[in-house]
Amino acid sequence: MRTSGGQDGVPPEAPGAPRTPRGLPARREPPRPDGAGVLPDDLPDGLVVADARGRVVCFNAAAARITALPREEALGRPVEQVLPLEDLRGRRWWKVTDPYGGLVIRTGQPERNLLLPGGREVLVSARYVRARPAGPVQRLVVTLRGTEARRRTERSNAELIATVAHELRSPLTSVKGFTATLLAKWERFTDDQKRLMLETVDADADRVTRLITELLDISRIDSGRLEIHRQPVDMAAAVERHVRAHIAAGRPEERFARRIVTPLPPLWADPDKIDQVLGNLLENAVRHGEGTVTIEVAPARTKTGDEGTAVTVSDEGPGIPEESMSRVFTRFWRGSKRGGTGLGLYIVKGIVEAHGGVITVGRSSAGGAEFRFTLPAGVPAFMA
């Protein structure tokens, strides 16, 4: 009696399937582009499609890269041979899932970590295409993704947690120590001693608040939910206000040079976010740079050729090493060992880009670091 299955667990060939002169099944070419002109090789993820017989009819460039198997060697072969996948417990994935002979109500497999030969991890998901509900599988569509991006994200999140724990521990320990001491021995301290301890507690509470604000900003930037509330902004006045704040904090006035090129185009931006950008760039220049800190505000063209405002903050310090410039706006980058979470410039870049602007880093004419950001001018679309 003839069974319905083919050899090696492969479903039987469909009647009239094309064959080569030697009688072997012909290898099929990848599907043609759809109406939008999308080719399988255009996809960023690996795509493997098997027909009703379980033989590979599509194997795109990303799949070839991920599996290190040439397309020519994959097309026409049984999918379980092309992708000899195992789960993390060493079980053969195709034997466990059995897409062609398993339950007919299944529609696919959710994404999971599987292993290719050699122990390489890959993220795999599958879709079972049936002509009718509970009918036989007509096509098996498998997507493959490398795990490098996920690993980088996991490492980044682990670093973020470690940084937060470290940055929170110090101020919270201080707050707990001073408050416990004051509560236990209040009468033993003079008013000046009490004031000093309370001022320290207040400063540490501000430090914790700033860290929490940074974490919220990172979350919104990463998820694309950073809200921008646009209002008219006087960039020259904002720069002057930040410089005056540094001078009031005890820094010499001759440390700062302002260059304002007028007239400036009208600028609509989020005042609080712009203050955050200016505050971070000025603080970095003062803390990590040397000599005169120069702030220049001038009209400029954006990347699209429209009117904009450019702000340049530069110093006369040692500058940023050439090999580090590509990492300046990443998480946890620190220009020196003089404190900081390494999150500030990452947030600055996110804020500038949320405004539709661009920020760059380079070396100033005096040899120090130079940060320059450009924001588009004009009024919001709803007021145009």
Side-chain angles (χ1 to χ4, degrees):
M1 180 176 179
R2 190 174 182 179
T3 61
S4 59
Q7 292 182 352
D8 300 324
V10 179
E13 298 179 12
R19 307 181 72 83
T20 65
R22 295 185 178 182
L24 298 175
R27 294 186 176 183
R28 302 190 183 182
E29 294 299 322
R32 297 295 180 185
D34 59 19
V38 178
L39 288 163
D41 285 349
D42 296 335
L43 300 176
D45 296 336
L47 175 66
V48 181
V49 180
D51 62 13
R53 301 180 300 114
R55 295 187 179 275
V56 175
V57 295
C58 175
F59 197 77
N60 73 348
R65 173 179 52 80
I66 293 171
T67 62
L69 181 69
R71 191 200 317 260
E72 296 74 19
E73 295 183 18
L75 292 174
R77 292 176 57 194
V79 66
E80 68 270 17
Q81 295 179 13
V82 173
L83 298 176
L85 298 164
E86 295 183 354
D87 64 18
L88 300 182
R89 296 169 59 184
R91 298 177 301 178
R92 294 186 64 84
W93 191 62
W94 297 108
K95 184 176 181 181
V96 172
T97 58
D98 191 12
Y100 291 97
L103 292 174
V104 295
I105 61 173
R106 292 183 306 171
T107 59
Q109 294 290 333
E111 186 176 72
R112 61 181 299 180
N113 267 22
L114 296 174
L115 300 176
L116 286 168
R120 288 180 296 126
E121 285 192 31
V122 63
L123 298 170
V124 182
S125 59
R127 176 76 175 175
Y128 305 158
V129 181
R130 305 177 189 272
R132 63 182 187 279
V137 173
Q138 298 297 311
R139 284 194 312 280
L140 174 66
V141 181
V142 181
T143 60
L144 310 172
R145 290 197 299 133
T147 60
E148 295 81 5
R150 177 173 290 189
R151 295 297 184 199
R152 286 195 297 269
T153 300
E154 290 174 351
R155 284 196 298 269
S156 180
N157 289 338
E159 289 176 1
L160 181 60
I161 292 171
T163 299
V164 171
H166 175 76
E167 294 293 329
L168 285 175
R169 184 182 296 113
S170 178
L172 289 179
T173 300
S174 172
V175 168
K176 177 61 178 176
F178 279 121
T179 54
T181 301
L182 285 171
L183 288 171
K185 303 176 181 179
W186 179 268
E187 301 297 334
R188 298 187 185 182
F189 296 107
T190 66
D191 288 346
D192 287 341
Q193 289 173 326
K194 293 174 183 176
R195 175 177 293 276
L196 177 61
M197 285 190 280
L198 289 174
E199 287 175 347
T200 304
V201 169
D202 184 63
D204 285 334
D206 287 341
R207 182 176 165 188
V208 172
T209 301
R210 284 195 300 271
L211 179 59
I212 292 172
T213 301
E214 286 183 342
L215 293 175
L216 289 173
D217 285 338
I218 286 176
S219 174
R220 295 183 183 116
I221 290 169
D222 288 347
S223 62
R225 295 185 293 106
L226 186 66
E227 295 183 357
I228 302 298
H229 302 286
R230 295 182 185 272
Q231 301 175 34
V233 172
D234 187 338
M235 187 65 79
V239 168
E240 184 65 25
R241 186 172 64 253
H242 278 273
V243 170
R244 286 297 166 189
H246 279 278
I247 294 171
R251 294 186 173 99
E253 185 169 0
E254 58 271 17
R255 180 89 193 270
F256 301 94
R258 285 86 87 193
R259 298 174 184 168
I260 311 298
V261 180
T262 57
L264 293 170
L267 176 64
W268 281 68
D270 189 317
D272 293 336
K273 297 290 191 295
I274 296 303
D275 278 343
Q276 194 172 349
V277 171
L278 290 174
N280 192 289
L281 294 181
L282 275 174
E283 183 66 27
N284 277 352
V286 170
R287 179 185 298 179
H288 304 297
E290 297 173 4
T292 301
V293 175
T294 303
I295 308 100
E296 180 181 297
V297 183
R301 291 289 174 182
T302 66
K303 59 183 178 182
T304 58
D306 299 323
E307 271 193 325
T309 299
V311 179
T312 305
V313 179
S314 58
D315 62 73
E316 299 174 344
I320 299 170
E322 196 72 31
E323 63 273 12
S324 298
M325 286 189 180
S326 61
R327 298 185 288 109
V328 165
F329 297 110
T330 59
R331 291 185 187 182
F332 312 116
W333 183 85
R334 293 179 176 88
S336 72
K337 297 181 180 179
R338 285 178 274 182
T341 61
L343 301 174
L345 290 175
Y346 178 81
I347 294 172
V348 163
K349 182 175 184 287
I351 291 174
V352 170
E353 291 181 347
H355 280 83
V358 176
I359 185 167
T360 59
V361 62
R363 190 172 294 278
S364 69
S365 58
E370 178 181 283
F371 289 88
R372 174 187 171 91
F373 67 92
T374 305
L375 301 177
V379 300
F382 69 87
M383 297 187 64

